[in-house]
Amino acid sequence: MTAEPARASLIDGKAFAAGLVERVAAASARLEAAHAIKPGLAVVIVGEDPASQIYVRNKGETTLRAGMRSETHRMGETTGQHDLLALIATLNADPGIHGILVQLPLPAHIDSAAVLGAIDPDKDVDGFHVVNAGRLAVGLPGLVPCTPLGCLMVLKAELGDLSGLNAVIVGRSNIVGKPMAQLLLGESCTVTIAHSRTRDLPALCRTADILVAAVGRPEMIRGDWIRPGATIIDVGINRVPSRDPDKAAQGKTRVVGDVAFEEAAEIAGRITPVPGGVGPMTIACLLANTYTAACRSAGIAPDDLSA
Ligand code: NDP
């Protein structure tokens, strides 16, 4: 009898996110009981983008489920930058609001960088402010972008001590690739960041004990790019036509990651699926950041939220 080839174990991001939301809820309840501080998150959405509306509703519902204060500010598509900045100034000054998130993308007539730069860095729970990017780069406490923070939490829960591991991150965006690299460097990994100009990407990927794919190209990373036993974190969210040709003809789609999952699962040791891997961690980390910001606003050390 021949043995079945070993398959990677699945990293269940949904279950991990549910656990993190529970831990944040418990920590927030302790903060409220001991210090009368209820963490508050304000989400600002401008315009009617349907996907953004769904994200914002999910964020509001999850925030309330965690026992936190949730505010959603909906502004019309034609809102001027001045009015949006005025709202941010009001939220910056509101002591009951500890986290401010401006849903992206903003309408084209608004300068997104100016808006994100106007958020108080200590309330910047998306972690996109240059002050928070700088704090992360020099190793000071700050607020870290939610998606890479979720990836790091999952990696630590799965692998424990990461020091000395080779990490390859494919993608160098400010919201995923670069902060992921900083976080893994902070864990003493040997980090390489790859991008569209990288030479011989497959060979580089084969050096990775940890491979983080944040590219935005469906199933670009193939099974034979993966080192046997490696841990694969697939951040990509790509819509491709349905497998069923009739459904595809009707415009039906499915979501895939940046990694060719079936091939990769034959070689890797651990892998996040898409959907159900990294995606669910993002909202959970938003709540974690809001809790952290609420604690720091009162000079209190946040509880450890790791699993
Ligand atoms: P960006 O488009 O900002 O960055 C993509 C990166 O991939 C760039 O650095 C680019 O290189 C690199 N790249 C593009 N093509 C190649 C190639 N052929 N070979 C190597 N590198 C390449 O994307 P984001 O970082 O914002 O997002 C990446 C993916 O993650 C997307 O699918 C997005 O939807 C998903 N995402 C998922 C989230 C979640 O919650 N799970 C949250 C955020 C993003 P260069 O810089 O040289 O152009």
Side-chain angles (χ1 to χ4, degrees):
M1 207 170 82
T2 50
E4 284 284 313
R7 263 181 78 91
S9 63
L10 272 192
I11 300 176
D12 185 345
K14 250 182 169 165
F16 196 89
L20 178 58
V21 170
E22 268 177 32
R23 294 193 294 281
V24 173
S28 296
R30 287 193 295 274
L31 181 68
E32 197 176 354
H35 302 281
I37 298 169
K38 191 184 188 76
L41 173 66
V43 177
V44 180
I45 177 164
V46 184
E48 302 299 328
D49 178 55
S52 295
Q53 295 284 346
I54 294 170
Y55 292 142
V56 164
R57 201 173 55 234
N58 286 345
K59 283 169 186 166
E61 286 169 4
T62 316
T63 309
L64 290 175
R65 244 190 296 130
M68 296 177 163
R69 180 175 158 198
S70 164
E71 274 182 13
T72 303
H73 297 264
R74 293 193 159 78
M75 305 180 92
E77 183 77 35
T78 55
T79 299
Q81 184 160 322
H82 180 80
D83 290 340
L84 180 53
L85 290 174
L87 173 61
I88 305 262
T90 304
L91 296 171
N92 280 344
D94 183 342
I97 290 297
H98 307 97
I100 303 169
L101 179 147
V102 176
Q103 184 67 41
L104 299 176
L106 288 168
H109 66 275
I110 292 178
D111 176 354
S112 301
V115 171
L116 297 182
I119 297 172
D120 178 346
D122 294 333
K123 296 191 178 189
D124 166 41
V125 281
D126 249 342
F128 294 165
H129 197 290
V130 288
V131 166
N132 281 317
R135 286 169 174 162
L136 181 59
V138 297
L140 286 173
L143 292 163
V144 174
C146 299
T147 299
L149 180 60
C151 295
L152 182 73
M153 284 183 166
V154 163
L155 281 167
K156 285 169 79 170
E158 290 284 325
L159 301 177
D161 182 11
L162 306 181
S163 65
L165 296 180
N166 286 341
V168 173
I169 298 151
V170 191
R172 57 174 162 179
S173 72
N174 289 333
I175 62 170
V176 188
K178 281 183 205 159
M180 188 77 250
Q182 300 284 5
L183 287 171
L184 290 172
L185 197 56
E187 297 298 322
S188 299
C189 290
T190 303
V191 178
T192 310
I193 309 178
H195 46 75
S196 64
R197 305 295 179 91
T198 297
R199 290 190 199 148
D200 200 354
L201 186 58
L204 180 65
C205 289
R206 271 180 227 117
T207 66
D209 301 306
I210 295 170
L211 180 62
V212 181
V215 187
R217 291 187 183 264
E219 300 178 326
M220 184 186 88
I221 292 173
R222 312 307 309 187
D224 63 358
W225 298 21
I226 288 167
R227 179 178 191 156
T231 299
I232 312 298
I233 304 288
D234 189 353
V235 181
I237 300 176
N238 308 288
R239 284 209 167 270
V240 297
S242 169
R243 274 206 186 93
D244 178 332
D246 293 338
K247 287 188 179 159
Q250 294 161 16
K252 294 257 164 40
T253 58
R254 64 193 171 100
V255 174
V256 298
D258 291 338
V259 178
F261 180 85
E262 287 304 327
E263 293 175 16
E266 299 294 334
I267 312 286
R270 296 174 168 87
I271 186 166
T272 58
V274 177
V278 172
M281 285 299 294
T282 301
I283 293 185
C285 285
L286 178 67
L287 301 191
N289 274 350
T290 304
Y291 162 74
T292 300
C295 291
R296 289 196 188 136
S297 73
I300 298 161
D303 288 352
D304 181 8
L305 296 172
S306 54

